[in-house]
Amino acid sequence: MFNVEKIRKDFPILSRKVNGKPLVYFDNAATSQTPQQVIDAIVNYYHNYNANIHRGVHTLSQEATDLYEQSRQKIQKHFHAKFSHEIIFTSGTTHGINLVANGFTSILKKGDDIIVSALEHHSNIVPWQMLCERTGANLKVIPMNNEGELVMSEYEKLLSKNTKLVFVNHISNALGTINPIEYIIEKAHDIGAAVLIDGAQACPHIKPDVQALDVDFYVASAHKMCGPTGVGILYGKEAWLKKLPPYQGGGEMIAEVTFEKTTYADLPHKFEAGTPNIAGGIVFGAAIDYMNNIGFDAIAKYENELLEYATEKLLQIDSLKIYGTAKNKTSVISFNLKGIHPYDVGSILDKLGIAVRTGHHCAQPIMDYYKIPGTIRASFAFYNTKAEIDALVAGVKKAKMMLS
Ligand code: 7TS
């Protein structure tokens, strides 16, 4: 039995009021909330271990270094990477994608193709467009259908001997679609192209196994999985990480520096220039422990119940349309009320203490596909309840009455 009431006690913020009403937090796809166990880990670091890492002879620095590297190993185990040096700490998903896109500058040639999907967040579009500008490569797009699924037959047509890289998200942030990444990776590998998977939205719901997926790069952000902001990871296969040049230059990423020539440090340090987010890296491990203690199977099962319940209740509202009805989707519902701007609904919900995101969700091509300015997005986490969904449904009905 999934004890949501017990879990909710771990999250201090869930007992606060917003605009005089109990907070109903349905903006989990933007960022997740933080349990006390993770907050305690942050405090513990600053109370007891704060020091710079990988450089001090003194005890504090060595202890902080050990904690940071232990967290890397924990993350390696969670993602089932072969080596801990295949886990690069980043500031988040966006940083990881930019690091890889920058690295491909010296690999791509004019006329090469790289493939994105129609379902991407801007952070998995823009860095690649910039890469195309630098190299003369072409950006091709896997189209979507009305349900918000990628059209695999069209994907296969895009693949050719010119294809060098494919990058898609594991789960769409705007619609919740779970993409068939196993198939996408297999087909890309058949023609010798590499694959990057943007796991920002998947990691709060699914435990990815990068070796079973045989994926070349996988990126994620801690703040979407109960961890702090400003830290994330890039997983890369060792061979790829050795091949890519460093992204930023600075301290810690070097073996030797002279004014004539600098040699670079081994993995993972080659990609970790400067003082990193040390507390964040350590606490990311604590967040992963927290989620694993609850269990990803239990989380997925419970969130799926929430999704089914909310979908059924919302669809009972006249003139409400859900965007993204893929067979395989996670606990995100994007919707609109006919003739009403999503922002207006979001503002009324906020007055009722209900946090949703409105707008294009940094996925403007999806909104263009549906010819809408944006949607209202309710995204559920394992600490949400059916009673909160009832509050959302009542709030949407109220907004509809006030705005029609
Ligand atoms: N990729 C996907 C699929 C995302 O959903 C996001 C953030 C990012 C990349 C960027 O992650 P960051 O941690 O580097 O910022 N998505 C959202 C969202 O849906 N609402 O706010 C942020």
Side-chain angles (χ1 to χ4, degrees):
M1 185 47 194
F2 194 80
N3 192 343
V4 68
E5 287 312 322
K6 181 164 174 282
I7 288 170
R8 286 175 70 79
K9 292 203 174 78
D10 292 337
F11 291 82
I13 206 169
L14 296 181
S15 54
R16 75 158 277 188
K17 292 198 164 163
V18 169
N19 294 323
K21 302 281 193 316
L23 167 66
V24 172
Y25 187 75
F26 284 159
D27 197 16
N28 294 287
T31 199
S32 55
Q33 291 303 344
T34 318
Q36 189 62 48
Q37 290 84 335
V38 171
I39 298 169
D40 287 346
I42 298 170
V43 173
N44 184 35
Y45 171 76
Y46 283 109
H47 275 191
N48 296 304
Y49 300 104
N50 186 28
N52 213 328
I53 54 171
H54 296 139
R55 55 194 89 191
V57 69
H58 62 82
T59 302
L60 273 194
S61 173
Q62 286 172 10
E63 287 178 356
T65 303
D66 288 347
L67 289 172
Y68 195 70
E69 291 307 322
Q70 281 161 18
S71 183
R72 194 193 304 273
Q73 285 164 11
K74 198 173 278 179
I75 294 165
Q76 172 205 352
K77 204 164 149 235
H78 179 76
F79 286 89
H80 198 221
K82 195 164 175 193
F83 307 113
S84 66
H85 60 252
E86 292 177 318
I87 302 293
I88 310 296
F89 279 115
T90 62
S91 68
T93 302
T94 304
H95 176 186
I97 295 169
N98 276 279
L99 189 160
V100 176
N102 183 74
F104 268 79
T105 309
S106 54
I107 295 173
L108 292 191
K109 293 184 303 298
K110 193 169 164 40
D112 283 342
D113 290 341
I114 58 175
I115 300 182
V116 68
S117 97
L119 287 178
E120 301 307 311
H121 186 279
H122 295 163
S123 70
N124 203 24
I125 301 174
V126 183
W128 306 110
Q129 287 174 325
M130 292 159 74
L131 173 65
C132 287
E133 278 172 23
R134 290 194 297 273
T135 59
N138 313 304
L139 186 68
K140 305 251 164 124
V141 185
I142 311 169
M144 60 183 275
N145 64 21
N146 208 40
E147 283 70 46
E149 293 166 329
L150 294 178
V151 184
M152 283 300 102
S153 53
E154 294 298 320
Y155 168 54
E156 285 174 36
K157 286 185 206 157
L158 294 178
L159 292 166
S160 77
K161 64 176 186 349
N162 295 332
T163 312
K164 293 294 178 299
L165 189 64
V166 178
F167 30 96
V168 297
N169 59 36
H170 195 162
I171 293 181
S172 151
N173 71 313
L175 305 180
T177 312
I178 304 174
N179 289 316
I181 61 163
E182 294 81 357
Y183 185 79
I184 289 171
I185 293 166
E186 193 189 317
K187 288 287 161 195
H189 284 173
D190 281 351
I191 50 114
V195 181
L196 176 142
I197 299 294
D198 170 354
Q201 293 296 335
C203 290
H205 311 288
I206 293 172
K207 187 170 173 167
D209 181 331
V210 292
Q211 286 187 80
L213 287 168
D214 194 27
V215 67
D216 301 286
F217 304 100
Y218 195 99
V219 286
S221 297
H223 71 93
K224 302 216 195 261
M225 35 192 314
C226 297
T229 52
V231 65
I233 58 109
L234 159 68
Y235 158 79
K237 277 185 187 163
E238 184 189 56
W240 269 116
L241 293 179
K242 281 190 169 163
K243 192 168 173 185
L244 295 191
Y247 180 39
Q248 292 182 316
E252 275 311 295
M253 51 76 73
I254 53 90
E256 216 171 331
V257 178
T258 66
F259 282 109
E260 286 70 42
K261 184 169 169 55
T262 290
T263 50
Y264 304 124
D266 290 335
L267 294 173
H269 309 293
K270 171 180 152 188
F271 291 108
E272 295 182 352
T275 301
N277 181 349
I278 301 167
I282 292 170
V283 173
F284 192 178
I288 280 181
D289 280 346
Y290 179 81
M291 294 200 72
N292 276 316
N293 281 339
I294 295 175
F296 279 83
D297 289 344
I299 287 173
K301 185 164 175 281
Y302 178 71
E303 288 175 343
N304 210 39
E305 274 174 37
L306 293 181
L307 176 67
E308 278 178 19
Y309 182 78
T311 304
E312 191 194 318
K313 294 275 167 183
L314 283 169
L315 283 177
Q316 286 167 8
I317 301 173
D318 246 18
S319 80
L320 183 145
K321 177 166 176 180
I322 291 180
Y323 296 88
T325 50
K327 278 188 281 302
N328 220 353
K329 71 176 274 190
T330 188
S331 51
V332 170
I333 302 185
S334 250
F335 63 95
N336 272 334
L337 292 169
K338 197 170 180 196
I340 300 175
H341 199 281
Y343 178 83
D344 295 335
V345 180
S347 302
I348 290 176
L349 291 175
D350 178 55
K351 296 274 178 297
L352 301 170
I354 302 169
V356 292
R357 186 171 170 188
T358 60
H360 56 53
H361 316 297
C362 302
Q364 219 173 326
I366 299 180
M367 304 303 139
D368 291 347
Y369 174 90
Y370 288 118
K371 299 189 174 52
I372 51 176
T375 67
I376 303 143
R377 182 186 69 180
S379 50
F380 313 123
F382 58 89
Y383 42 75
N384 289 130
T385 65
K386 288 186 180 166
E388 289 181 309
I389 290 169
D390 292 340
L392 170 73
V393 173
V396 173
K397 283 182 180 162
K398 186 168 180 179
K400 185 181 166 213
M401 221 167 59
M402 288 169 72
L403 297 166
S404 322

